[in-house]
Amino acid sequence: FEQGTRNLIPHLSRMLSTDALLPPPAAFFSEKHYFPAPSPLQLVKQTSSSQERISINGLQKNVHVVVKNAAFMVQISLTNTLFEGHMLDLNNFTFDAMLLYDAEGEKYVDYVKVKPVECKPTVNDAGNQVSFELRIKVLTSQHENSFFRVKIFVLDPTTGHPFHPALAVMSEPVKVISKPEQLKKKPPSTKKRNINEVLVETITRIEEQQKEHQKMIETLLVSSETKSITTAGAKTVQDDGTDFESCFKRFFKMFYSLAVEEKPIKIRKLLRNCSQRDTDRVSELLDLFMTEGLQRGLPSSVSPCEGHQHKTSLCDCNTCPYQRELQKIDEFYKNFLLLPDSN
């Protein structure tokens, strides 16, 4: 007991004489009663030659692609300078990096003499941000095409041990290639896809095909409707232009729908607005009507005069029915063809 007390006194004196947060003993990290505190460090930036979008177990993730032994940068910063009652200044610590596999749990990449990752930190003057120049010395292809992560530790400068389990940051997944030329070539993944990835890809392809088919159907429908409208319009014009009987019947129907006193007024107005050519055509039409069967015979109740009974060329009787009928025909032509005075 006395020997243990003498060994503990120097540690107590040092703790009481400084405000700096001292590293706990190594056994502290393995105690069952220890519960890690939230890390005050966060990953701010990570550079790489390029990035790839990878689907693993149905989950999408970004993978940084770097060249073996080529430098890339990782930047971390403090989210809170107060940690467990003490002020943190990153200028008072040292740092180290370890290479892990991008998998569940923390499985470190084994090595014999040369560490698989090299780390050069640079702390800013405020002591709340660190930039790391990292170089990875192993290839993804040498480790069954596994991706990596870099875990950065904050060390106690006195002992060289991790200062606190919470003072550590993990990088994003990294793929290491041997030559920059491989960045232009993206060989197909040799990893075996699970059923979820296959289903997601299949459903996406089916949805794209459905969208294409829908666009084609809409295009065909629009084309068909346009063609139908054009055909119907052409047919209507053809029917209206060639169906003489229908047009003639509609003309008579409209004519007989007029009142008796309106008929001569409408005819005069129509002829007044016609050109001389149209008037000649109306005259020609009436001549055809008379020639083809509109000759008006005498009513059966009217008896012919003596001159017509004897088939003489002239008739001098005052009551000749033929003369009365001729006068009616002349009056009809006058009312129909002769334009009234403008006055």
Side-chain angles (χ1 to χ4, degrees):
F1 176 78
E2 293 179 358
Q3 183 64 32
T5 303
R6 283 195 293 269
N7 294 335
L8 183 60
I9 290 176
H11 293 284
L12 293 174
S13 300
R14 187 172 59 181
M15 291 177 63
L16 295 173
S17 62
T18 180
D19 292 334
L21 185 61
L22 299 176
F28 179 80
F29 297 125
S30 61
E31 292 292 340
K32 294 182 180 180
H33 67 271
Y34 173 71
F35 296 95
S39 176
L41 297 174
Q42 67 175 356
L43 179 65
V44 177
K45 184 178 181 181
Q46 180 173 340
T47 64
S48 58
S49 300
S50 66
Q51 295 187 32
E52 295 180 359
R53 190 72 174 173
I54 304 296
S55 176
I56 300 177
N57 297 327
L59 299 177
Q60 300 288 328
K61 63 167 61 178
N62 287 324
V63 177
H64 294 264
V65 182
V66 300
V67 180
K68 179 181 177 182
N69 292 321
F72 65 97
M73 189 263 288
V74 169
Q75 189 176 83
I76 66 174
S77 66
L78 288 172
T79 59
N80 191 354
T81 57
L82 183 62
F83 181 70
E84 294 190 352
H86 297 269
M87 297 299 295
L88 290 178
D89 186 348
L90 297 179
N91 287 298
N92 297 329
F93 300 93
T94 58
F95 305 90
D96 193 14
M98 297 291 291
L99 191 66
L100 293 79
Y101 293 106
D102 181 29
E104 294 183 1
E106 293 188 359
K107 184 180 179 182
Y108 293 91
V109 177
D110 295 330
Y111 65 96
V112 179
K113 293 183 179 180
V114 181
K115 289 181 61 175
V117 61
E118 180 181 309
C119 164
K120 291 183 180 180
T122 302
V123 185
N124 65 353
D125 295 336
N128 61 357
Q129 191 174 87
V130 189
S131 298
F132 296 89
E133 181 183 296
L134 301 176
R135 299 174 189 268
I136 300 179
K137 302 180 180 181
V138 293
L139 296 173
T140 293
S141 59
Q142 295 173 343
H143 292 261
E144 300 181 354
N145 291 324
S146 298
F147 302 136
F148 305 108
R149 286 180 183 264
V150 179
K151 187 173 184 180
I152 299 173
F153 299 91
V154 177
L155 304 180
D156 180 0
T158 304
T159 63
H161 296 299
F163 187 82
H164 193 282
L167 296 180
V169 177
M170 193 81 72
S171 74
E172 294 179 349
V174 178
K175 176 182 178 181
V176 185
I177 59 177
S178 60
K179 298 179 181 179
E181 290 78 8
Q182 295 181 1
L183 294 172
K184 301 179 181 179
K185 302 178 183 179
K186 294 185 177 180
S189 177
T190 57
K191 290 186 178 181
K192 185 178 179 180
R193 299 185 299 172
N194 57 24
I195 186 65
N196 291 334
E197 294 175 350
V198 175
L199 288 176
V200 170
E201 181 179 352
T202 303
I203 292 174
T204 303
R205 185 169 61 251
I206 292 174
E207 290 178 349
E208 292 178 355
Q209 291 178 353
Q210 287 179 342
K211 292 180 181 179
E212 293 180 358
H213 293 167
Q214 183 67 23
K215 291 181 180 179
M216 294 176 62
I217 292 173
E218 292 177 355
T219 303
L220 291 175
L221 288 175
V222 172
S223 177
S224 177
E225 291 176 357
T226 304
K227 185 176 180 181
S228 300
I229 294 173
T230 304
T231 305
K235 184 176 180 181
T236 302
V237 173
Q238 183 178 4
D239 292 343
D240 293 343
T242 59
D243 193 354
F244 176 79
E245 293 181 0
S246 298
C247 295
F248 191 71
K249 289 179 180 179
R250 287 198 295 271
F251 170 74
F252 267 99
K253 184 177 180 181
M254 294 299 298
F255 180 74
Y256 286 118
S257 66
L258 298 174
V260 177
E261 61 274 9
E262 290 184 359
K263 290 180 180 179
I265 298 175
K266 294 289 185 180
I267 294 297
R268 290 191 186 98
K269 183 178 180 181
L270 178 66
L271 293 176
R272 185 184 298 113
N273 295 327
C274 289
S275 63
Q276 184 62 38
R277 184 178 180 183
D278 291 338
T279 304
D280 294 339
R281 288 177 176 177
V282 173
S283 178
E284 180 184 357
L285 179 63
L286 292 176
D287 291 340
L288 287 175
F289 285 159
M290 296 299 298
T291 303
E292 298 298 330
L294 289 184
Q295 294 89 349
R296 298 171 63 97
L298 288 174
S300 59
S301 61
V302 179
S303 58
C305 64
E306 295 180 356
H308 287 88
Q309 287 180 349
H310 297 87
K311 297 182 179 179
T312 59
S313 57
L314 298 174
C315 179
D316 295 332
C317 60
N318 296 326
T319 61
C320 179
Y322 290 98
Q323 291 181 356
R324 291 197 298 271
E325 191 67 24
L326 182 61
Q327 290 176 358
K328 292 181 180 180
I329 295 174
D330 290 340
E331 185 179 356
F332 170 79
Y333 272 101
K334 288 179 182 179
N335 291 333
F336 192 82
L337 295 178
L338 297 180
L339 295 177
D341 296 337
S342 57
N343 298 328

